[in-house]
Amino acid sequence: MEKLRVGVVFGGTSREREVSFAGGRTVYDNLDKNLFEPIPLFVDSFGNFILLNWEFVYKGSIRDFYPPADMIPESRHDFQIYAESLGQLDGQDQLKLINKIGAKVEPGALASLVDIAFLCLHGNDGEDGRIQGLLEYLRIPYTGSGILSSAIGMNKAIQKSLMGNAGFNLPKFISFQRKDFFDGNISNIYSEVLTKIGFPCVVKSANQGSSLGISFIKEADESKFREAVEKSLFIRIVKMEQWDAMSFDQRIDYLRELCDIRDGIGIPVQIGSRVIIHPEELLSVLNHLFGEREKEVIIQSLDAEDTVLVEGFIAGKEFSCIVVQDENGKPLALPPTEIRKGMELFDYRSKYLPGLSRKITPINLPDDEINHIRQQCESLFMALHFSVYARIDGFITAKGEVLLNDPNTTSGMMPSSFFFHQAAEIGMNPSQFITYIIRTSLACRISDFKDINKLPSMLYQLDEALSSQQKAQLKKTRIAVILGGFSSERHISVESGRNVYEKLSSSGKYDPVPVFLTGSPAEHIMYRIPVNILLKDNADDILEKIHHYTVHPVIRDVINKAEGITSKYSSSQNIAEPIRITYENLAELVDGVFIALHGRPGEDGAVQEQLQRVGLPYNGSGPASSRITIDKYQTNEMLAKHGFLVARHCMALQKDWKKEKEVFYKDIVSLFSFPFICKPHDDGCSSAVKIIRNMDELEAYAKLTFRDDAMMDEQSIRRLSIGPKEEFPSRKAFMVEELIVANGATQFLEITGGMLTSYDEKGNRSYEIFEASEALSEGDVLSLEEKFLAGEGQNITPARYSKDLQENRMISTQVKVQFEKVAKLLNIEGYSRIDAFVRIYNAAKVEVVFIEVNSLPGMTPATCIFHQAAIAHYKPFEFIDKILDFGFQRKLKQPVLN
């Protein structure tokens, strides 16, 4: 049958555009390719609809491709910008930007392009009813709630009034307007908060999501209250003494945070009557104003908030609950999730970076209290006239009182979001849940549009296709996706594994089987896990669920109530009990393996040896090559021996440190001048990679690395600025490396480049070296967030070696030649990622300084190896398919090891 064309609408004009972009990519990838044709519809900073060229869907951040790299103005301090920093562009100028990434689509032409719109937009113009109204006018069906309920779901102040009138329990609250702040009424409002609400309290923007513009105030303090109000209104007041006290670098860092659309107020901004569109311009203006001895400067975002909400702090368990419509149109609350976080607020990073928070499903309460939460969420779903699905947040107090405080008509749709997390508890993987959302939305729009022709026909077509798919017994290749591990990289491994699983499960070719690996180097312990465990928040949660596996009575009850949904879209295997398996069991269970592990085990060859022993094909390099590349010191030694440039390096050993600390430190500083790099020699993902600037920091690094227990010294943590959730593995050795600098080069870049291997007609291995990505870091080294969190950091692909196109190609070719030589020397197979620095003096003199080689690159949705594969015309699934195919071909050439 003809597939339904699903327009995935993502991006947008709001501060939440990066969450929307990442969620849209998740939906685009997980659409069942047997049922749907995905159409990527990107909404840019100016509100244009763009039929996006598919390769840009796989960029890690909007800033990676829009505005296009060759249209970004020079920035002396490498500030990262969105398209609005280009200024007030007219239609023709906007079209020049658009034509580099796709084709502009006028709203009136959308109906000829898509059959239904899957809305992944967040915030203004996405969740507030505006896009829903446009689509209804155009008679294009869309997912989720309608116009009125979307508008209600967006405005927290209006929500509160309607919920209170409907009899729902609410925390004490007041709201006030932006005008009150500028009229000097904050002292009066503070007094009102003292008498009506009290402290602690929460101050938040009324029309923002993803915990943007929110503050928690523990105790009565008018100055802190004023700062919180400024944050919610996206205002910053900078005082002269504050600016004067900053060093130049501190001012740059301050402006990076200020101009960030998540942590700061964004840009463009306004100072007085002047509109400032670029961080460089803002730096210049502030320097001038404070140079003129201006006492304070008020900076306002042009994308400002008009209403502030102040709520009494609720002492209790925080939860989030997805409510869906069942096959009869009635609301069904899925098992609510308890949010356990390291800070008082569930902030942006806690929501979207693996390992920074914990999601406990169902919430840890007696059954009757869990069901009370569910009943309240279902009631609110009906009271606010929501449809299809919603995410409702709230608290439950120690006395069992449920207070709902944030109903959302659009949920985050990143792989670890509540949206997929709770659907997995009833046995639906992301692809199946998305199909359910589309089908249910079509049914709702028939009623909304009063359509008796087109939409019923579309619904019938989809039902027929679903029925045919259920009856068909398609022969698929079974692939075990091994994820997890026991290193500091286990959470990222889970993200990589989930992403590979999801791309395989929606492909129609493969039947992926998730396998979680734990244990120790001496014993690999593996479990076949169901999708509800796979979609737990991080590796530690997965392991805990495996070790204490039970089906909670409330979840069992919800599964039974959802049977009308799940029987149509999923299978019972999705909620089967985890089973411990051996490598021998794995060989009977699957046809091949995708190793999604990072660090040890996985990249060290240990898993590969076991898979070869039982005769299973797998991805990536073989055991011998992996044992070399896992060890950065050994890799560098081998490369240096064969004439490649590497950073000057040495090993620092625990035994030497324990023997004589003063001699240990003296030996290091005699070889390297500050600053230099310290890092684990057999770990990755920026784990414990630090620039060391002085002896205090070196002592702190050695003390933390060589510690004998899990506890970390607080003074050392402060000296190295280690974050509250940052892992710092203990080791018996670490690597010291010179800090790579430009060394007089006219152009100096940090790059990361991927590759793919295949067999030619004669059976010889050949290498396809991708265009490398230029990695831009906002700190000393690329952070975990910049590598793997959607919207963080920036990767320009291909790397910008030169402004001259011919010269750029020449330099790129030289870099690729060097990469291929390294790959051949290290016997890289399947695929790989190599990190390096490039010094460019001129087209004839290019130096590539190699840093590390990754035999199992990260495969998270935001990782840049997918950007590079896209330039080589491989969609992510096609890239993964090529990787697997090489493993199968290699297996045919190798004897089974006994």
Side-chain angles (χ1 to χ4, degrees):
M1 290 187 177
E2 189 175 339
K3 298 177 184 179
L4 289 183
R5 298 169 301 167
V6 179
V8 181
V9 186
F10 63 142
T13 61
S14 82
R15 298 173 183 276
E16 301 174 72
R17 67 188 72 167
E18 293 290 3
V19 176
S20 169
F21 182 71
R25 175 174 53 234
T26 304
V27 172
Y28 181 86
D29 268 348
N30 281 283
L31 281 167
D32 189 323
K33 305 307 183 292
N34 292 319
L35 301 173
F36 306 112
E37 178 188 351
I39 309 291
L41 290 173
F42 174 68
V43 180
D44 72 3
S45 299
F46 310 108
N48 296 302
F49 288 93
I50 302 170
L51 177 59
L52 193 66
N53 294 343
W54 67 263
E55 58 266 29
F56 295 110
V57 174
Y58 298 104
K59 297 293 186 180
S61 161
I62 293 169
R63 294 175 302 185
D64 286 352
F65 68 95
Y66 199 77
D70 62 352
M71 303 184 83
I72 297 174
E74 291 285 342
S75 175
R76 289 179 56 203
H77 306 102
D78 294 325
F79 287 114
Q80 300 172 12
I81 62 166
Y82 290 97
E84 55 265 38
S85 284
L86 300 181
Q88 293 295 319
L89 306 183
D90 62 24
Q92 285 302 310
D93 287 333
Q94 291 178 30
L95 199 59
K96 289 177 184 177
L97 296 178
I98 292 168
N99 288 341
K100 287 181 174 286
I101 65 169
K104 183 176 179 179
V105 180
E106 296 296 341
L110 288 171
S112 64
L113 194 64
V114 303
D115 298 311
I116 182 170
F118 198 110
L119 299 182
C120 299
L121 297 173
H122 292 271
N124 296 326
D125 296 332
E127 294 181 75
D128 56 5
R130 293 175 186 170
I131 184 71
Q132 291 82 0
L134 172 64
L135 293 170
E136 289 207 9
Y137 178 78
L138 297 171
R139 284 295 185 265
I140 300 172
Y142 56 87
T143 55
S145 287
I147 301 170
L148 176 61
S149 46
S150 296
I152 293 170
M154 185 66 192
N155 191 302
K156 297 177 180 66
I158 291 174
Q159 285 173 15
K160 289 284 188 291
S161 298
L162 292 174
M163 290 164 66
N165 292 338
F168 290 93
N169 295 322
L170 299 172
K172 295 177 181 178
F173 74 95
I174 63 167
S175 63
F176 57 93
Q177 301 303 307
R178 185 181 189 84
K179 183 175 182 294
D180 294 310
F181 177 83
F182 286 103
D183 287 348
N185 292 331
I186 292 301
S187 291
N188 294 333
I189 293 169
Y190 174 74
S191 298
E192 186 179 0
V193 171
L194 272 175
T195 56
K196 291 186 177 180
I197 296 176
F199 289 84
C201 70
V202 175
V203 181
K204 62 174 72 172
S205 306
N207 293 284
Q208 300 293 330
S210 293
S211 299
L212 298 172
I214 186 169
S215 301
F216 172 71
I217 307 176
K218 291 183 178 180
E219 54 193 28
D221 185 321
E222 185 172 350
S223 64
K224 289 184 178 178
F225 178 76
R226 182 180 292 272
E227 288 176 6
V229 171
E230 291 169 10
K231 182 178 180 180
S232 294
L233 290 171
F234 300 100
I235 293 170
R236 290 293 186 275
I237 299 178
V238 188
K239 298 186 181 298
M240 181 177 65
E241 57 268 25
Q242 175 189 0
W243 189 256
D244 288 346
M246 295 183 198
S247 68
F248 180 78
D249 288 342
Q250 287 172 330
R251 290 177 183 178
I252 298 300
D253 290 341
Y254 178 81
L255 290 184
R256 289 193 202 284
E257 184 277 332
L258 181 80
C259 297
D260 190 283
I261 59 175
R262 297 157 300 252
D263 297 327
I265 66 175
I267 200 148
V269 297
Q270 187 170 353
I271 296 177
S273 60
R274 179 170 181 171
V275 174
I276 298 166
I277 66 170
H278 197 285
E280 295 284 2
E281 182 187 5
L282 179 57
L283 174 63
S284 176
V285 169
L286 289 175
N287 280 334
H288 172 74
L289 290 174
F290 289 123
E292 295 290 319
R293 311 318 289 165
E294 193 81 32
K295 289 186 176 180
E296 69 174 28
V297 176
I298 300 175
I299 309 173
Q300 303 179 58
S301 169
L302 289 192
D303 180 21
E305 175 64 54
D306 292 324
T307 306
V308 175
L309 196 66
V310 184
E311 295 177 345
F313 179 72
I314 305 167
K317 290 178 181 285
E318 186 174 1
F319 64 82
S320 188
C321 184
I322 300 293
V323 182
V324 300
Q325 281 184 292
D326 68 14
E327 67 279 13
N328 298 314
K330 294 181 179 179
L332 174 65
L334 300 183
T337 298
E338 178 181 351
I339 303 163
R340 294 183 185 174
K341 56 226 183 262
M343 293 168 282
E344 288 89 352
L345 294 173
F346 191 42
D347 65 5
Y348 180 89
R349 283 170 173 77
S350 295
K351 281 185 175 181
Y352 301 116
L353 184 66
L356 293 195
S357 65
R358 293 192 66 200
K359 299 183 178 85
I360 309 299
T361 308
I363 186 170
N364 187 21
L365 289 169
D367 295 2
D368 59 339
E369 293 191 15
I370 299 174
N371 283 322
H372 181 46
I373 291 173
R374 294 183 56 248
Q375 181 272 320
Q376 287 287 291
C377 291
E378 289 172 355
S379 296
L380 184 59
F381 186 94
M382 294 180 67
L384 297 182
H385 305 285
F386 289 170
S387 57
V388 187
Y389 76 95
R391 195 195 81 230
I392 298 175
D393 301 338
F395 292 83
I396 183 167
T397 68
K399 295 181 180 179
E401 182 182 26
V402 174
L403 296 96
L404 305 179
N405 73 334
D406 196 7
N408 296 270
T409 53
T410 298
S411 173
M413 294 180 189
M414 291 169 71
S416 61
S417 68
F418 297 111
F419 185 73
F420 296 122
H421 180 90
Q422 292 179 18
E425 292 294 346
I426 61 171
M428 299 177 77
N429 69 31
S431 181
Q432 294 160 347
F433 193 45
I434 288 169
T435 299
Y436 154 78
I437 292 295
I438 292 171
R439 200 267 174 206
T440 306
S441 297
L442 268 177
C444 284
R445 299 291 92 84
I446 289 173
S447 174
D448 293 345
F449 290 9
K450 305 296 186 291
D451 189 319
I452 61 171
N453 295 312
K454 179 183 175 182
L455 297 191
S457 174
M458 204 181 296
L459 187 64
Y460 175 79
Q461 175 187 336
L462 179 56
D463 284 343
E464 285 292 295
L466 277 167
S467 178
S468 298
Q469 184 168 276
Q470 279 190 319
K471 293 174 183 176
Q473 296 296 320
L474 300 176
K475 176 62 177 175
K476 297 182 180 181
T477 304
R478 292 174 67 76
I479 299 293
V481 181
I482 302 180
L483 63 152
F486 37 80
S487 77
S488 61
E489 303 175 63
R490 61 194 181 280
H491 302 310
I492 297 301
S493 167
V494 166
E495 288 294 295
S496 289
R498 277 201 287 240
N499 188 42
V500 171
Y501 168 87
E502 290 170 1
K503 287 182 171 53
L504 296 180
S505 67
S506 62
S507 68
K509 177 178 179 179
Y510 294 104
D511 180 12
V513 178
V515 174
F516 186 82
L517 186 146
T518 183
S520 67
E523 182 184 18
H524 296 172
I525 299 172
M526 296 188 297
Y527 297 89
R528 175 182 176 175
I529 59 174
V531 70
N532 60 324
I533 294 183
L534 173 66
L535 285 164
K536 292 297 178 187
D537 202 42
N538 57 55
D540 296 343
D541 283 349
I542 289 174
L543 185 58
E544 181 182 28
K545 189 68 174 178
I546 289 170
H547 286 164
H548 305 95
Y549 183 79
T550 58
V551 180
H552 194 283
V554 171
I555 292 181
R556 193 177 298 281
D557 181 52
V558 177
I559 289 171
N560 291 335
K561 290 179 177 176
E563 190 175 357
I565 299 173
T566 54
S567 62
K568 188 171 185 176
Y569 299 96
S570 66
S571 69
S572 59
Q573 189 59 51
N574 284 352
I575 49 174
E577 183 174 354
I579 300 171
R580 183 170 176 177
I581 59 174
T582 64
Y583 283 103
E584 286 76 13
N585 299 144
L586 198 63
E588 297 173 358
L589 184 65
V590 299
D591 305 303
V593 171
F594 194 102
I595 309 169
L597 300 165
H598 302 308
R600 296 180 187 268
E603 291 189 80
D604 60 355
V607 172
Q608 291 86 340
E609 282 185 340
Q610 295 298 322
L611 295 174
Q612 284 187 192
R613 180 177 62 81
V614 298
L616 276 173
Y618 57 85
N619 57 306
S621 294
S625 175
S626 299
R627 278 193 293 269
I628 295 171
T629 56
I630 187 66
D631 189 322
K632 297 179 182 68
Y633 179 81
Q634 188 179 353
T635 301
N636 280 5
E637 288 287 289
M638 188 172 182
L639 293 180
K641 180 181 177 181
H642 287 82
F644 294 98
L645 293 178
V646 297
R648 194 161 47 84
H649 55 277
C650 76
M651 291 296 293
L653 307 179
Q654 184 189 50
K655 65 177 184 178
D656 295 335
W657 179 76
K658 285 187 173 182
K659 181 179 179 181
E660 182 57 65
K661 292 183 176 60
E662 291 305 317
V663 173
F664 173 87
Y665 296 129
K666 184 179 178 181
D667 286 346
I668 292 175
V669 297
S670 69
L671 293 172
F672 302 93
S673 58
F674 295 111
F676 52 77
I677 298 283
C678 285
K679 61 185 179 183
H681 70 102
D682 61 350
D683 216 338
C685 294
S686 300
S687 176
V689 179
K690 297 291 180 183
I691 289 185
I692 305 300
R693 294 181 172 82
N694 52 54
M695 185 61 76
D696 284 345
E697 291 183 358
L698 177 58
E699 290 175 356
Y701 193 94
K703 191 171 185 177
L704 289 179
T705 301
F706 296 148
R707 69 189 188 276
D708 293 325
D709 54 38
M711 294 298 294
M712 294 200 292
D713 174 66
E714 287 295 329
Q715 186 180 35
S716 298
I717 288 173
R718 288 193 297 272
R719 282 179 175 173
L720 294 176
S721 302
I722 295 174
K725 293 283 186 176
E726 185 178 344
E727 293 203 18
F728 200 104
S730 61
R731 293 283 192 274
K732 294 188 182 300
F734 64 84
M735 188 170 169
V736 185
E737 194 174 72
E738 69 173 328
L739 185 66
I740 305 299
V741 295
N743 201 27
T746 56
Q747 183 81 327
F748 179 60
L749 300 82
E750 181 177 2
I751 65 169
T752 180
M755 64 187 66
L756 187 63
T757 69
S758 59
Y759 290 110
D760 61 23
E761 294 178 356
K762 296 180 180 179
N764 299 316
R765 187 171 67 222
S766 61
Y767 288 85
E768 181 178 6
I769 310 297
F770 296 154
E771 292 289 346
S773 299
E774 177 185 345
L776 303 181
S777 169
E778 293 196 337
D780 294 330
V781 295
L782 281 172
S783 67
L784 189 70
E785 290 92 340
E786 287 174 313
K787 283 189 174 183
F788 299 109
L789 176 57
E792 291 290 324
Q794 188 172 10
N795 289 286
I796 303 298
T797 310
R800 300 168 296 181
Y801 301 114
S802 171
K803 291 182 180 179
D804 182 84
L805 291 179
Q806 184 176 355
E807 187 176 71
N808 194 76
R809 282 194 294 270
M810 291 171 61
I811 296 169
S812 175
T813 300
Q814 292 183 62
V815 172
K816 288 180 179 180
V817 167
Q818 290 288 298
F819 272 40
E820 183 171 350
K821 287 179 178 179
V822 165
K824 288 180 176 178
L825 173 65
L826 297 173
N827 198 28
I828 296 295
E829 292 183 303
Y831 66 128
S832 178
R833 193 193 82 226
I834 297 177
D835 298 337
F837 285 94
V838 179
R839 297 189 186 113
I840 301 166
Y841 299 92
N842 52 57
K845 185 179 180 183
V846 177
E847 295 179 348
V848 181
V849 185
F850 291 93
I851 301 300
E852 65 178 284
V853 177
N854 296 270
S855 62
L856 294 176
M859 300 289 276
T860 66
T863 192
C864 59
I865 199 165
F866 287 126
H867 319 170
Q868 298 162 16
I871 289 178
H873 307 294
Y874 299 117
K875 292 183 178 179
F877 167 72
E878 294 167 345
F879 179 50
I880 294 169
D881 188 35
K882 285 277 187 182
I883 292 168
L884 287 169
D885 184 58
F886 180 87
F888 279 102
Q889 289 187 53
R890 177 177 57 192
K891 170 65 175 58
L892 295 175
K893 297 174 179 291
Q894 294 175 339
V896 176
L897 298 179
N898 294 317

